[in-house]
């Protein structure tokens, strides 16, 4: 299937969104729940799988949907098609603070491997699949890096990374050790495997986990400074652990507010 050639503009700083311009008849696919706004001339259709041409027939669509289910994504994607005779725009928003990265698959060898929650949207025709890591050690210890998304085609795709993004070009044989959650994407020639941190004391008390992702070139690697899993764990650690509210004021104020709320919810039995 010929890829739609779309124009785009990425806007914002910490919380970005990508605004895609569609010519008459062109379409973009978006992850469920990622749409921010669209012009009135765009038609929205939810499809089973990823709406690519590789999913011919019912079983093809079922296989495509199954691949998305394995990566933790929705069984459905949404197709946004320009149904009028003039240019129309649709925008897709990032789910948390970070950067939106435009990936031209044509210049990346036709395939990009990315974290399972990184995909945001793409031109119609880009195929969304899964990439299982070949080595058994990655399956047991790889965590976030074991099952990843594979984007195939020769069009534009947009992925989201948390925090600040670092792009590294690895030469043949050059190796980079990375926290598994900090890997956003890499080209298909990069070798991905898991390496033990090396020392028991470091593994237990270093706070970085037991294993690193070992990336070996040649190829291109994109890294993120704030994985969503790390952000979520920090938010959870700072949240109240006993179901109550954490007051920023005085202790007496907290007891007073808590007692008043308890009286309202529990009733006065005297």
């Amino acid at each position: 299937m010929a890829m739609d050639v779309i124009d785009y503009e990425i806007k914002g700083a910490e919380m970005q969104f990508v605004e895609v311009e569609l010519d008459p008849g062109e379409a973009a696919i978006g992850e469920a729940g990622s749409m921010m706004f669209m012009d009135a001339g765009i038609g929205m259709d939810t499809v089973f799988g990823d709406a690519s041409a590789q999913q011919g027939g019912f079983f093809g669509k079922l296989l495509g949907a199954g691949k998305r289910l394995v990566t933790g994504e929705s069984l459905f994607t949404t197709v946004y098609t320009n149904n009028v005779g003039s240019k129309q725009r649709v925008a897709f928003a990032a789910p948390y603070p970070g950067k939106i990265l435009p990936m031209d698959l044509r210049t990346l060898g036709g395939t990009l491997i990315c974290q399972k929650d990184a995909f945001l949207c793409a031109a119609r025709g880009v195929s969304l699949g899964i990439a299982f890591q070949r080595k058994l050690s990655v399956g047991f210890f790889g965590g976030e890096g074991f099952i990843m998304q594979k984007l195939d085609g020769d069009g534009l795709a947009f992925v989201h990374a948390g925090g600040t993004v670092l792009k590294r070009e690895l030469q043949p044989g050059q190796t980079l050790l990375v926290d598994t959650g900090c890997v956003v994407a890499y080209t298909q020639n990069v070798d991905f495997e898991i390496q033990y941190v090396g020392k028991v004391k470091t593994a237990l008390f270093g706070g970085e986990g037991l294993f690193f992702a070992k990336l070996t070139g040649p190829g291109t690697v994109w890294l993120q400074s704030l994985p969503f899993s790390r952000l979520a764990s920090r938010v959870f650690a700072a949240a109240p652990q006993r179901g109550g509210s954490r007051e920023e004021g005085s202790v007496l104020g907290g007891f007073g507010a808590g007692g008043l709320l308890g009286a309202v919810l529990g009733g006065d039995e005297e």
Side-chain angles (χ1 to χ4, degrees), residues 93-200:
Y96 54 92
K99 301 295 181 184
I100 295 175
L101 309 176
M103 301 292 192
D104 187 351
L105 299 181
R106 181 183 292 104
T107 64
L108 298 175
T111 299
L112 182 71
I113 311 298
C114 61
Q115 283 283 14
K116 58 186 180 181
D117 59 349
F119 173 74
L120 186 64
C121 62
R124 179 175 56 187
V126 172
S127 174
L128 311 179
I130 57 175
F132 284 105
Q133 303 303 334
R134 297 185 302 273
K135 298 184 178 179
L136 190 61
S137 62
V138 182
F140 284 118
F141 309 116
E144 296 167 89
F146 174 44
I147 300 176
M148 305 186 78
Q149 282 191 333
K150 182 170 69 169
L151 309 180
D152 289 308
D154 60 1
L156 271 174
F158 299 88
V159 299
H160 177 260
T164 302
V165 178
L166 173 65
K167 180 181 179 181
R168 288 287 300 267
E169 298 288 347
L170 299 181
Q171 301 304 314
Q174 183 180 1
T175 297
L176 193 65
L177 299 179
V178 187
D179 180 278
T180 54
C182 290
V183 179
V184 179
Y186 54 88
T187 52
Q188 59 181 334
N189 291 333
V190 173
D191 183 64
F192 181 100
E193 58 182 309
I194 292 298
Q195 177 172 306
Y196 178 59
V197 296
K199 296 181 180 179
V200 175

Side-chain angles (χ1 to χ4, degrees), residues 84-99:
V84 297
S86 59
K87 293 179 181 292
Q88 300 286 289
R89 287 177 171 261
V90 57
F92 303 92
Y96 54 92
K99 301 295 181 184

Side-chain angles (χ1 to χ4, degrees), residues 40-95:
I42 291 180
M44 186 171 63
D45 184 28
T46 301
V47 297
F48 198 54
D50 65 5
S52 65
Q54 290 88 331
Q55 297 182 10
F58 173 77
F59 288 104
K61 293 180 180 179
L62 187 63
L63 178 61
K67 290 179 180 179
R68 291 178 51 75
L69 186 63
V70 169
T71 60
E73 303 295 342
S74 169
L75 288 174
F76 300 89
T77 51
T78 307
V79 181
Y80 302 86
T81 307
N82 183 356
N83 294 325
V84 297
S86 59
K87 293 179 181 292
Q88 300 286 289
R89 287 177 171 261
V90 57
F92 303 92

